[in-house]
Amino acid sequence: MKYIIAFCLTLFILPIQSQNQPWKGKFEPIDNLMSPTNAYRTASGAPGKAYWQQRADYKIKAIVNESNNTLSGEEIITYYNNSPDDLSYLWIQLEQNVNKKENEDFGTINNSLKDGINTRQMQFLTRTIDFPAGYTIKYIKDSNGKPIKSLVNNTMMKVLLDEPLKSGNTLTFSIGWSYPITDRSMYLLSREGYEYFPEDDNTVYLIAHWFPRMAVYNDTEGWQNQQFQKLGEFALEFGDYDVEITVPADHIVASTGALQNPENVLTKKQRKRLNEASKSFDTPVMVITKEEAVENEKEKSTKQKTWRYSAKNVRDFAFASSRKFMWDAQAVKLPTNTVMAMSYYPKEGLPVWQEESTKSVMHALEVYSEATFDYPYPVCISVNTSNIGMEFPMISFNGGRPKNGEMSKNAKASMIGTIIHEVGHNWFPMIVSSDERKWMWMDEGLNTFLHQRTVAERYPEFNSVTPKSIAPFMSGDKNILRPIMTTSDNELFSQFGANFYIKPTVGLQMLRNSIVGKELFDAAFKEYANRWKYKHPNPSDLFRTLEDATATDLDWFFRGWFFTTDNVDIELSNVKWFKVHEENRNIEDQTQSTQVTAEGNNASEAPKDFSSGPAVINMTDTPDASYGQFLSRMDDAAIRKQLSGKNLYELTIKNVGGLVMPVTIEWIFTDGSTEIDRLPAQIWRRNEYEVKEVFIKEKEVKTVNLDPNFEFADTDMSNNVFPKSDTTSEFDGFKSKQ
């Protein structure tokens, strides 16, 4: 026996060693593709006992100057060095510098000219009309007022410390700054800035990426000081915020955090309505009506008001300000918290924003809380603007407006979907704080997964993403396709929506619906969210948690779906039909038989249908020698009887696309009835390119379909059916399911 084993090992090991590289089979572990485990991040996917992360608290005073569209501010940052390292310098993010004309070109998103181009597109390409942009840093001082040296590299500022910040210590310092608020209509992918309304000469300010913020320092890469290039968004530390926002006295402010001085900035009537809204769980209460907002638009106050907000344990802060705002609010009761869902919108958003926005916020709060953890903050705000969907803690800026008060069903579905999606970002990445600058899919993909679940559950009349949605993309040109595990700013602009939003969503849907199962998957997904809320997970932490919490080996799935550009194309190459002869025959009897042999319906070529009838298998008794040293014997007659009259079908299934997946088989019988069999992905373990499986059926089969409900994003459904003729009514119906 040892010689046989040695011989087999030689056969399997030597060829691999001769290639001088590790085996890269589709079912091999992906340990070498993930961050190694250590005391900070465990092999189970949970934070380790020694896990740490930095913290930054902010006290900010900011002024919006409407006369020249500038924002100026002063901030005091208290930075906590919870790392085991001493830090000789700090990195601070200056995202507003991305629009400075003299900054280096990081590679524009769309930089091609064509013979027909509109002026706005040309402005994006050439910046023909120059607008001021970027920070003016007025000072950086320590807590004693002593200047601190700094160096600015595009969107990052290096703060040079006189003495290293020791592990476990804190540093308090202050920064004074200002910048011109950008005109959102003039900059491609502008996530903040102002929107001007010429009809009434008013402005809506969306203020984000607005104050110098601490970059992340973590256990996996040290400083995350990758430059801001517009697509890769956030990598931020948690902290407490105390913010004072000074705006024109007739402006209404919507903001991250809880309002601390309502008696100074809201009228008695507004405070009364807001109190009513806190008890209204069925319908929104108008805090500011259309008539009041229109009246407020008419005169521009030269006075100012200061709004004070406090936000605990958030990783960012944003606000909106305008005299145009209508405002409605409604209470949402969650198991452990009551949240005020609120919407702010100009009259241009009517009627759909008043009808749908706060309702959409409520639906997102309820579904996401059930799927992960209860929304922990006091408010959740949706602000209407144009051409955007952008998220921040407790507040989001959302596009979608009617034209002349009308909105198509598709436009309304898009608007509602945008609100749900941006509200959902409160969970991913605002609380489960992944690194968007590096792994956009970790927030966009996970969030889109729950966003689509919310749409499917609360708005079934709208179309939602399914595995069918990603098939055309995955069948594209492999020379330009990139895997999901691509850094945010390095993805082709034409593909980042499909690759970072839709493909991860479909992958999670397949895990939930068809591979792991809803109950196990939902518990595992919730485990991941709760393990990593208020922390910084990496892709490996997600992968390991999903395996750890389901007892399912998913390395094959993560390898193929996230690390490659393979696609799913499973082909039903052949189906052979057999019946077992009811009597035991000897070899001489078989040679004289007129029945079709077990070689198949046609020995020269694979059959295209079942018209030739079944091949006959002559099942002989098992000879004693086959039992080896076993003394017991099978009941040959009983086995033969069990198979008497049954139909045996041998399916040959090929993996054409390269991506292994489970196989769902639909049997359509000659009497019109149907049956489903499911094979796990593990059938491909020993042969990743072709497998054969045998099934016993009481009835005769008319048609066999693979993946009849399009569960696995198969890119070519035409090779999933047998018989191979496409003239049968069953195949016509099958095609219509695509």
Side-chain angles (χ1 to χ4, degrees):
M1 189 65 177
K2 71 174 70 172
Y3 300 106
I4 296 175
I5 294 174
F7 176 70
C8 291
L9 288 174
T10 302
L11 286 177
F12 286 102
I13 294 175
L14 287 180
I16 297 172
Q17 291 177 334
S18 66
Q19 295 172 12
N20 197 27
Q21 61 180 4
W23 172 239
K24 296 181 180 179
K26 300 181 189 300
F27 287 91
E28 292 306 302
I30 60 170
D31 295 13
N32 62 320
L33 301 176
M34 298 193 296
S35 302
T37 60
N38 49 41
Y40 312 130
R41 298 169 191 269
T42 69
S44 71
K49 291 184 178 180
Y51 177 83
W52 57 268
Q53 66 188 43
Q54 309 291 68
R55 179 181 179 87
D57 294 339
Y58 297 85
K59 292 184 177 181
I60 308 174
K61 295 181 179 181
I63 300 174
V64 175
N65 189 324
E66 190 176 31
S67 64
N68 60 6
N69 290 320
T70 60
L71 189 146
S72 57
E74 298 178 341
E75 63 183 309
I76 299 173
I77 302 174
T78 301
Y79 185 67
Y80 300 78
N81 183 13
N82 298 322
S83 79
D85 309 320
D86 297 339
L87 304 176
S88 57
Y89 51 80
L90 311 177
W91 281 103
I92 291 180
Q93 303 183 49
L94 303 177
E95 283 101 331
Q96 287 296 325
N97 285 355
V98 75
N99 288 322
K100 293 179 73 171
K101 190 172 183 179
E102 63 271 20
N103 264 8
E104 68 180 58
D105 183 5
F106 290 120
T108 53
I109 291 168
N110 186 356
N111 56 358
S112 60
L113 286 172
K114 49 189 176 182
D115 54 7
I117 190 170
N118 64 46
T119 54
R120 188 165 183 259
Q121 291 171 330
M122 183 63 79
Q123 171 67 14
F124 291 160
L125 286 174
T126 65
R127 195 160 167 175
T128 306
I129 300 174
D130 191 20
F131 294 91
Y135 283 104
T136 297
I137 302 298
K138 299 177 181 179
Y139 63 81
I140 307 177
K141 299 178 181 178
D142 65 18
S143 57
N144 296 316
K146 180 182 176 182
I148 302 176
K149 294 180 180 179
S150 65
L151 297 170
V152 174
N153 178 12
N154 294 309
T155 63
M156 285 288 170
M157 179 168 66
K158 187 177 185 180
V159 177
L160 306 172
L161 304 179
D162 290 338
E163 296 180 0
L165 178 59
K166 298 290 185 180
S167 173
N169 288 355
T170 63
L171 175 69
T172 298
F173 61 103
S174 59
I175 304 177
W177 43 267
S178 66
Y179 70 87
I181 303 171
T182 56
D183 182 345
R184 289 190 50 245
S185 67
M186 299 296 175
Y187 290 93
L188 185 63
L189 278 182
S190 180
R191 291 167 166 80
E192 48 71 43
Y194 67 83
E195 179 182 2
Y196 178 65
F197 293 77
E199 182 177 317
D200 52 61
D201 188 31
N202 275 300
T203 302
V204 171
Y205 291 96
L206 307 177
I207 306 301
H209 300 271
W210 59 286
F211 59 100
R213 300 176 295 179
M214 292 302 306
V216 167
Y217 184 80
N218 63 30
D219 61 284
T220 57
E221 60 183 322
W223 284 107
Q224 167 44 297
N225 52 12
Q226 183 177 328
Q227 296 287 344
F228 179 52
Q229 302 176 40
K230 291 194 174 182
L231 281 182
E233 294 168 356
F234 303 105
L236 298 166
E237 302 287 11
F238 287 96
D240 294 342
Y241 286 74
D242 184 355
V243 180
E244 296 182 8
I245 304 166
T246 300
V247 296
D250 50 2
H251 271 218
I252 296 297
V253 173
S255 176
T256 299
L259 180 62
Q260 300 298 296
N261 60 337
E263 67 282 354
N264 296 330
V265 294
L266 299 179
T267 67
K268 185 176 180 180
K269 183 184 294 185
Q270 290 165 353
R271 297 198 302 272
K272 180 175 181 291
R273 292 170 177 171
L274 200 56
N275 183 58
E276 292 172 359
S278 69
K279 303 169 186 175
S280 176
F281 294 91
D282 298 323
T283 57
V285 173
M286 294 304 303
V287 181
I288 298 177
T289 67
K290 175 186 175 182
E291 294 72 23
E292 291 165 344
V294 170
E295 183 65 25
N296 202 37
E297 289 178 344
K298 294 179 179 179
E299 295 184 13
K300 295 184 177 180
S301 175
T302 57
K303 297 180 180 180
Q304 294 180 323
K305 281 184 180 179
T306 298
W307 300 59
R308 289 188 54 242
Y309 288 91
S310 175
K312 302 296 184 183
N313 208 23
V314 294
R315 70 174 214 162
D316 199 6
F317 194 103
F319 67 93
S321 180
S322 180
R323 63 177 56 85
K324 290 179 64 65
F325 282 148
M326 299 172 60
W327 177 10
D328 70 54
Q330 174 185 338
V332 179
K333 181 65 176 176
L334 302 175
T336 61
N337 193 22
T338 297
V339 183
M340 288 293 287
M342 302 193 289
S343 296
Y344 296 72
Y345 41 93
K347 63 181 184 295
E348 287 79 5
L350 293 174
V352 290
W353 268 75
Q354 187 172 348
E355 296 167 350
E356 301 290 351
S357 177
T358 298
K359 186 194 302 183
S360 303
V361 174
M362 175 192 69
H363 288 316
L365 288 171
E366 291 175 344
V367 175
Y368 277 75
S369 293
E370 181 184 359
T372 55
F373 48 79
D374 283 356
Y375 182 84
Y377 299 129
V379 299
C380 188
I381 297 170
S382 170
V383 180
N384 177 235
T385 183
S386 61
N387 299 72
I388 194 177
M390 195 60 208
E391 73 280 1
F392 308 93
M394 306 186 219
I395 188 170
S396 57
F397 307 151
N398 304 308
R401 284 195 185 130
K403 293 182 179 179
N404 301 317
E406 299 293 330
M407 205 172 210
S408 69
K409 179 182 177 181
N410 287 341
K412 182 182 288 188
S414 177
M415 182 201 87
I416 290 171
T418 298
I419 295 170
I420 291 170
H421 183 89
E422 304 309 333
V423 168
H425 273 305
N426 277 283
W427 283 265
F428 307 98
M430 297 302 161
I431 298 175
V432 183
S433 183
S434 56
D435 181 354
E436 294 178 272
R437 188 100 8 130
K438 192 169 186 179
W439 305 117
M440 179 182 284
W441 71 267
M442 282 197 74
D443 73 288
E444 296 296 357
L446 273 60
N447 180 43
T448 304
F449 167 64
L450 289 184
H451 151 210
Q452 292 300 319
R453 178 173 162 184
T454 306
V455 171
E457 292 181 9
R458 300 301 176 92
Y459 299 90
E461 69 275 20
F462 296 155
N463 293 328
S464 54
V465 168
T466 67
K468 179 180 178 181
S469 308
I470 199 63
F473 170 75
M474 295 185 69
S475 63
D477 184 357
K478 294 293 191 290
N479 291 317
I480 61 173
L481 288 182
R482 297 173 184 177
I484 292 174
M485 292 291 290
T486 298
T487 303
S488 304
D489 290 307
N490 295 333
E491 179 60 276
L492 297 178
F493 185 55
S494 61
Q495 296 182 6
F496 87 95
N499 214 26
F500 291 152
Y501 292 66
I502 306 304
K503 189 177 175 184
T505 294
V506 169
L508 294 172
Q509 287 175 340
M510 291 192 297
L511 288 174
R512 182 176 190 248
N513 298 327
S514 304
I515 297 173
V516 174
K518 289 183 180 180
E519 187 175 6
L520 263 179
F521 179 85
D522 287 351
F525 193 82
K526 181 175 286 193
E527 182 72 24
Y528 166 74
N530 281 275
R531 280 179 174 181
W532 289 98
K533 62 183 178 183
Y534 306 113
K535 297 181 176 67
H536 299 313
N538 291 327
S540 54
D541 302 313
L542 170 63
F543 297 152
R544 287 178 172 129
T545 295
L546 291 182
E547 290 191 320
D548 178 71
T550 63
T552 307
D553 177 9
L554 296 172
D555 280 19
W556 61 270
F557 181 83
F558 298 141
R559 176 188 292 277
W561 197 259
F562 287 88
F563 290 90
T564 78
T565 58
D566 290 347
N567 61 285
V568 181
D569 182 8
I570 305 300
E571 176 187 342
L572 183 54
S573 177
N574 193 15
V575 178
K576 291 183 179 181
W577 177 21
F578 300 94
K579 283 196 172 184
V580 175
H581 196 279
E582 297 182 17
E583 298 179 1
N584 183 19
R585 297 156 144 213
N586 57 35
I587 299 301
E588 289 76 11
D589 291 335
Q590 291 184 55
T591 59
Q592 297 171 2
S593 174
T594 59
Q595 297 285 344
V596 182
T597 68
E599 291 301 316
N601 309 62
N602 189 321
S604 61
E605 60 181 63
K608 294 184 177 180
D609 54 40
F610 299 116
S611 60
S612 299
V616 174
I617 297 176
N618 182 40
M619 188 164 55
T620 62
D621 292 343
T622 303
D624 288 344
S626 296
Y627 288 99
Q629 296 180 357
F630 289 110
L631 300 180
S632 60
R633 297 292 182 265
M634 294 183 181
D635 187 337
D636 297 311
I639 294 174
R640 193 175 290 107
K641 183 178 180 180
Q642 286 293 322
L643 292 171
S644 176
K646 304 289 177 62
N647 300 283
L648 278 69
Y649 293 92
E650 179 194 80
L651 275 57
T652 302
I653 305 170
K654 292 185 178 180
N655 177 9
V656 179
L659 204 58
V660 294
M661 278 291 159
V663 178
T664 303
I665 305 162
E666 179 186 48
W667 307 88
I668 302 176
F669 300 105
T670 54
D671 66 358
S673 61
T674 62
E675 187 176 303
I676 294 290
D677 280 311
R678 299 181 184 275
L679 302 175
Q682 284 71 18
I683 62 170
W684 304 100
R685 278 188 178 274
R686 291 174 179 81
N687 188 333
E688 299 170 355
Y689 308 101
E690 179 180 294
V691 296
K692 292 185 178 183
E693 293 288 332
V694 176
F695 300 86
I696 304 172
K697 300 297 175 186
E698 295 280 349
K699 303 175 184 178
E700 290 187 10
V701 171
K702 184 178 181 181
T703 307
V704 186
N705 293 326
L706 300 186
D707 197 10
N709 298 316
F710 216 113
E711 296 175 79
F712 299 111
D714 198 313
T715 59
D716 182 6
M717 298 294 283
S718 67
N719 60 9
N720 287 30
V721 66
F722 187 93
K724 295 187 177 298
S725 169
D726 61 357
T727 59
T728 64
S729 60
E730 287 81 4
F731 185 48
D732 288 340
F734 177 56
K735 288 191 293 183
S736 70
K737 294 178 184 177
Q738 297 185 56

